Amino acid sequence: MKKISFQDYLPFIFLSIIAIIGIFIPSLPSFADGGKYNSADIAWILVASSLVFLMTPGLSFFYGGMVNKKNVISTMMQSFIATGIISIVWLVVGFSLAFGKSVNGIIGDPRTFFMFQNVGSGAPWSLAPTIPLLLFALFQMKFAIITPALVVGAVAGRIRFTSYVLFMVLFSVLIYAPIAHWTWHPDGILFKLGVLDFAGGTVVHISAGCAALAGALVLKRRKDHVEKKELQPANIPFVLLGTGLLWFGWFGFNAGSALSANALAATAFATTNTATAAAGLSWVFFDVIRGRKPSALGFCIGAVVGLVAITPAAGFVAIPQSIFIGFIAAIVSNVAVHWKSKTSIDDTLDVFPCHGLGGMVGMLLTGIFATKTINAGGNDGWLYGNFELFKNQVLGLLLVVGYSFTVSYGIFKLINLIHPLRVTEEEEELGLDVSQHNENYHPSLISISDNGSLKEEDELVHS
């Protein structure tokens, strides 16, 4: 039996405290003025919220299929656990920090919606007046869930599960919530600057991509990476399945960000599909002209880059321009992945080249191709004579990159002082599926017995 330390008790203690506090939160009636709501909008955002939730298990399959067979379950679990962790963090304080009463455009007052008080009983969000505030909060929760889950891909194969759980909590509170407030709150500093981010180019992808780079640098290289071993993906069909779930869920991510069942949602749906298709093809065709064979893995990675790049632009650009956004983003990320492979940076699944740079390309191209013809609430971009928007997009991008990377680097360093970030060399060699979870994706591998010794297994371990 493993010896249990006080640190092992802490997560359970914190959850217990939150559960007990919940008993004493008063119940309030739902917002009474139902005449403000639109049934079609409510139905669509309920569906969109469900679609965005599906993206996190999709991401788990996408990442799980790309790592080696010793780390499939651990990688999937590190992403999927965000559905539990961030749901609670968001309810307690995350929504308040992101969308609560603004404190100088920097952060929301944590008391505004503490423990979801005043969410069910509050008036609709000012930018989503036809749906209940509760539904808006739940829709935004799904964005908050997947963002720290994206970072997993950069540190897969060498980070302790408990340490990553703590990172998710701190990232959500210290990085995700402030950037969401800056970008999507009417009083946020980037919102007031005029930065356009329809569904999360800065908030989700650039923040996660920069955090991924910070994590890769702090954790340093895997032994296999140092020895230049080329590890084969564990399960390409998992990657295809994950890509399909991400693509499907992304329609809720982008089209749902119209926050209404209207023509803008249809446009965002169309631009999302178009850019993704163009990016998947661009990645494969670019591989071919570089002497490689077209691969399922390449199409999947390219498609995800297209999804990332169109995210900030989906509701601001026309459909034809979305082809170019997907096409060029895939080439930029492809070149970046190839360049990174020649360096000592061990971003396991290329999160920064794909999500970080993909989000940056999307933000910059939004500043070029955005047009009021598509979204009167947006702005015209550089292509239509307004260089000011492009300049604002660059400023917003630089602020988010600098903040996310610096604070993430600090968080990883802080956690390492409290609890070791990295598994031991023996645990890394054994694989995180067994060393962190005592589970195996692949038969005939090794597991850890109750007394801590290693043992052979002839079939799938689940103990």
Side-chain angles (χ1 to χ4, degrees):
M1 187 74 175
K2 175 192 170 186
K3 184 179 179 181
I4 300 175
S5 67
F6 178 70
Q7 287 182 335
D8 294 324
Y9 283 103
L10 285 177
F12 183 80
I13 291 172
F14 283 132
L15 183 59
S16 299
I17 292 171
I18 292 169
I20 293 169
I21 291 173
I23 297 173
F24 300 99
I25 300 297
S27 299
L28 299 174
S30 297
F31 183 69
D33 192 358
K36 291 180 176 291
Y37 300 146
N38 181 290
S39 297
D41 292 347
I42 292 173
W44 165 234
I45 303 304
L46 283 169
V47 171
S49 300
S50 302
L51 289 171
V52 180
F53 176 85
L54 188 64
M55 291 170 64
T56 301
L59 179 72
S60 299
F61 276 102
F62 182 73
Y63 280 169
M66 286 197 287
V67 295
N68 62 63
K69 291 180 179 180
K70 297 186 296 184
N71 296 306
V72 174
I73 295 172
S74 62
T75 301
M76 296 180 76
M77 177 61 170
Q78 286 167 1
S79 287
F80 197 64
I81 195 69
T83 57
I85 295 167
I86 306 304
S87 291
I88 300 300
V89 173
W90 190 251
L91 183 149
V92 175
V93 73
F95 183 58
S96 294
L97 294 174
F99 294 98
K101 183 179 178 181
S102 187
V103 180
N104 300 318
I106 303 296
I107 195 69
D109 186 334
R111 299 169 297 180
T112 311
F113 303 114
F114 176 72
M115 292 291 287
F116 256 34
Q117 291 183 93
N118 306 316
V119 174
S121 60
W125 182 246
S126 60
L127 301 180
T130 61
I131 63 174
L133 178 63
L134 175 59
L135 180 53
F136 174 76
L138 294 174
F139 178 66
Q140 290 295 337
M141 176 195 290
K142 311 309 178 186
F143 287 68
I145 286 171
I146 196 171
T147 307
L150 291 169
V151 183
V152 170
V155 295
R158 62 197 189 278
I159 193 168
R160 291 182 187 275
F161 176 72
T162 50
S163 297
Y164 196 77
V165 167
L166 179 55
F167 169 79
M168 283 188 171
V169 174
L170 295 177
F171 176 92
S172 180
V173 171
L174 300 178
I175 297 176
Y176 181 85
I179 295 175
H181 188 84
W182 302 347
T183 307
W184 289 332
H185 194 289
D187 294 324
I189 55 175
L190 294 185
F191 191 99
K192 285 188 169 182
L193 183 63
V195 173
L196 298 182
D197 184 357
F198 192 72
T202 53
V203 182
V204 177
H205 298 290
I206 295 178
S207 69
C210 292
L213 179 60
L217 294 175
V218 173
L219 273 104
K220 300 185 171 29
R221 304 166 70 185
R222 291 163 295 152
K223 183 179 178 182
D224 291 333
H225 191 267
V226 173
E227 296 174 353
K228 300 187 183 302
K229 290 182 181 178
E230 188 171 341
L231 301 175
Q232 295 300 313
N235 194 322
I236 298 297
F238 271 17
V239 181
L240 288 162
L241 174 62
T243 304
L245 292 173
L246 284 168
W247 196 328
F248 181 61
W250 224 290
F251 292 132
F253 200 78
N254 286 356
S257 292
L259 297 173
S260 181
N262 56 18
L264 182 60
T267 297
F269 193 109
T271 55
T272 299
N273 191 71
T274 304
T276 306
L281 294 174
S282 177
W283 190 289
V284 170
F285 296 162
F286 190 67
D287 275 351
V288 170
I289 65 174
R290 298 180 68 186
R292 300 175 181 174
K293 292 183 179 181
S295 67
L297 188 63
F299 181 79
C300 289
I301 295 173
V304 170
V305 171
L307 290 165
V308 170
I310 196 60
T311 292
F316 296 120
V317 304
I319 298 169
Q321 283 74 52
S322 67
I323 300 174
F324 181 81
I325 292 174
F327 169 78
I328 200 68
I331 294 174
V332 170
S333 291
N334 190 307
V335 171
V337 168
H338 180 69
W339 173 83
K340 192 222 70 174
S341 68
K342 298 180 180 298
T343 72
S344 60
I345 299 173
D346 186 10
D347 178 347
T348 311
L349 302 180
D350 300 318
V351 178
F352 179 74
C354 294
H355 288 273
L357 291 182
M360 293 178 201
V361 170
M363 284 295 293
L364 295 176
L365 293 181
T366 301
I368 294 174
F369 295 125
T371 170
K372 288 184 177 180
T373 303
I374 297 298
N375 187 341
N379 207 339
D380 287 327
W382 193 1
L383 183 66
Y384 303 96
N386 182 19
F387 178 74
E388 189 72 14
L389 176 60
F390 182 78
K391 184 186 74 174
N392 291 340
Q393 296 294 101
V394 173
L395 291 174
L397 183 156
L398 292 175
L399 176 60
V400 171
V401 167
Y403 180 79
S404 180
F405 178 82
T406 303
V407 178
S408 294
Y409 194 90
I411 290 173
F412 278 115
K413 284 288 190 180
L414 174 64
I415 294 172
N416 200 39
L417 293 175
I418 300 170
H419 185 65
L421 269 177
R422 185 160 178 161
V423 298
T424 65
E425 189 172 325
E426 181 187 10
E427 289 172 328
E428 184 179 336
E429 183 68 27
L430 182 64
L432 271 60
D433 288 0
V434 173
S435 68
Q436 299 296 294
H437 306 289
N438 199 22
E439 294 175 315
N440 272 330
Y441 161 73
H442 194 261
S444 301
L445 291 179
I446 298 172
S447 69
I448 301 177
S449 63
D450 290 339
N451 63 13
S453 61
L454 305 183
K455 62 180 181 179
E456 294 271 346
E457 292 291 344
D458 295 325
E459 57 185 19
L460 187 69
V461 173
H462 185 86
S463 56

